[in-house]
Amino acid sequence: MTRGCPAALLWVACSAHLSPPPVTHRVGGVQVALRAWRGSEICDAEPRFLLDELTAVNSALGRYLDRARGDAPQDWPERRIALADELGEGLSSVADLHQQNLGALAGCGFAASAGFPFVRQRGLALIEAARARAARLPAVIAEARRARAREAWAKSLPSLREAARAGCRARSAAPRVFFAWADDQGTHWCFCDGARVSLADDRQEPELEPPLREPARGRHPFTQQQYLDAVRDFPHSSVAAAPEQG
């Protein structure tokens, strides 16, 4: 009879030290393979290979941060926004698993040797930064789109104003507002005779810009109060407004 452990028992003993299989994830536009080490079994890994694996994950997280950088609206044109979902694909699972592995690494005897202290510290910092960036990115993208919408709206104002001017009559018994709009500077009302009233957001009293032309012979100029009364009576719902901010 052969002495020693039966083959089945030897397989169980050896399998306890087998590495978990690597799983490929995509993050930052690249593929990265990492393992779901359970508890202290990470300490049985070959240190050199483990260091390479952890370093590769750090590089993928760094690539994500590099490709997701920029907060200004011009940093996020539509063609870049279209790639945002792909950019963050797999980030959550990679960050969670990498944090788990780095936490388990702290209990290994080789954790303070070679490049492990740097890789672990760097990895934890990248995880925190990547999560924060992923949480902020939707707001950055939304603001970029709002900024472009506001820019397009501002460019359309002259044509909208001229189209509305066509409704002005040759004569009217009182000042007539033909177009009004609100923007970052306040609210503005344009009159058929060329006058304009503006109310800045940081002021309580409106400011009147009188018409450049004198009224026709035999007609008296409108008073400031008449212009203000016309502004007061102009429907708020008819004031053109820029797309909302923030």
Side-chain angles (χ1 to χ4, degrees):
M1 182 176 180
T2 304
R3 301 185 61 183
C5 296
L9 292 180
L10 286 174
W11 182 87
V12 171
C14 292
S15 65
H17 299 287
L18 291 177
S19 301
V23 178
T24 300
H25 300 264
R26 187 170 182 83
V27 64
V30 298
Q31 291 186 335
V32 60
L34 66 164
R35 305 171 194 269
W37 297 98
R38 296 179 296 273
S40 62
E41 71 179 9
I42 194 172
C43 301
D44 295 326
E46 164 57 45
R48 181 164 54 91
F49 294 141
L50 178 62
L51 186 63
D52 289 345
E53 182 177 295
L54 298 177
T55 299
V57 180
N58 281 358
S59 296
L61 292 175
R63 183 179 176 87
Y64 167 79
L65 287 168
D66 182 62
R67 295 188 66 185
R69 71 185 185 280
D71 284 351
Q74 60 267 28
D75 294 333
W76 289 94
E78 287 300 320
R79 63 180 179 276
R80 189 182 182 199
I81 291 175
L83 301 175
D85 288 341
E86 179 184 351
L87 184 65
E89 181 184 359
L91 176 63
S92 179
S93 56
V94 167
D96 291 347
L97 197 52
H98 196 40
Q99 184 174 34
Q100 172 186 312
N101 291 343
L102 293 175
L105 174 65
C108 299
F110 54 77
S113 62
F116 283 105
F118 171 78
V119 167
R120 184 172 183 274
Q121 182 179 12
R122 174 68 173 158
L124 293 174
L126 286 168
I127 290 169
E128 182 179 1
R131 283 173 173 162
R133 186 58 184 167
R136 171 158 171 71
L137 200 53
V140 171
I141 290 173
E143 179 54 35
R145 283 178 163 159
R146 274 193 295 269
R148 278 193 292 278
R150 292 172 69 83
E151 182 179 358
W153 177 85
K155 289 180 178 179
S156 73
L157 276 178
S159 60
L160 292 175
R161 188 164 52 241
E162 288 310 305
R165 192 190 300 273
C168 287
R169 295 188 295 270
R171 290 173 176 265
S172 59
R176 183 171 183 269
V177 177
F178 73 88
F179 187 74
W181 77 97
D183 56 21
D184 294 338
Q185 283 70 52
T187 307
H188 318 271
W189 295 265
C190 289
F191 291 82
C192 289
D193 64 355
R196 176 183 293 185
V197 170
S198 297
L199 178 60
D201 290 337
D202 58 352
R203 297 185 60 182
Q204 294 184 344
E205 296 297 328
E207 181 179 357
L208 170 65
E209 298 177 35
L212 296 178
R213 295 181 179 180
E214 295 291 333
R217 180 176 297 181
R219 294 180 60 86
H220 296 289
F222 297 126
T223 66
Q224 177 171 319
Q225 189 58 50
Q226 285 179 296
Y227 287 110
L228 298 182
D229 289 343
V231 165
R232 181 198 61 203
D233 295 337
F234 191 77
H236 182 74
S237 59
S238 297
V239 177
E244 293 183 2
Q245 294 191 56

